[in-house]
Amino acid sequence: MLPELTAPELHARLQNADDLQLIDVRQPEEYAYCRIEGSVLIPLGELAQRAGEIDPDRPTVLICHHGVRSMQALAYLQHRHELTNLLNLRGGIHAWSVQVDPSVAIY
């Protein structure tokens, strides 16, 4: 089982000012439409070339629309780059919109 956290758990950690890196693996048009404040866009298709942008010393939360692409990204980064600091946002930006911040657009 790959490590996950829920939208409310992520919200609590952000409220506590935990030093988290937020990586959004959606497409640029999805990211432009809605995103979690402070997240950085690295589309899934660019992850292999841009994996070096992920700080191995900070907890990193991977985000997508519903949590599927981000789980693929997490599995890839664990397997190919041996990163152990990764968490998947269960339910993705959709869960964030529904459970934490209704001002973030749903699509």
Side-chain angles (χ1 to χ4, degrees):
M1 183 146 184
L2 297 172
E4 291 187 303
L5 79 167
T6 66
E9 289 168 341
L10 174 57
H11 183 253
R13 291 186 69 173
L14 292 172
Q15 293 294 100
N16 285 338
D18 287 8
D19 184 27
L20 300 174
Q21 183 177 36
L22 305 177
I23 302 295
D24 194 316
V25 300
R26 296 176 300 148
Q27 292 301 305
E29 58 274 9
E30 292 175 287
Y31 183 81
Y33 185 67
C34 66
R35 65 186 150 293
I36 297 174
E37 188 68 34
S39 63
V40 174
L41 177 65
I42 302 179
L44 186 59
E46 297 177 14
L47 198 57
Q49 303 91 296
R50 297 180 59 192
E53 295 176 37
I54 297 172
D55 186 342
D57 298 321
R58 291 170 65 198
T60 298
V61 179
L62 299 167
I63 303 161
C64 70
H65 189 197
H66 285 110
V68 177
R69 285 176 282 176
S70 52
M71 188 61 81
Q72 292 172 333
L74 190 147
Y76 167 79
L77 291 165
Q78 279 185 340
H79 180 72
R80 294 284 187 179
H81 296 275
E82 300 179 351
L83 293 175
T84 59
N85 59 318
L86 307 170
L87 295 163
N88 182 55
L89 178 59
R90 185 182 316 145
I93 190 91
H94 182 81
W96 180 265
S97 300
V98 170
Q99 299 172 7
V100 174
D101 186 354
S103 72
V104 174
I106 293 176
Y107 65 101

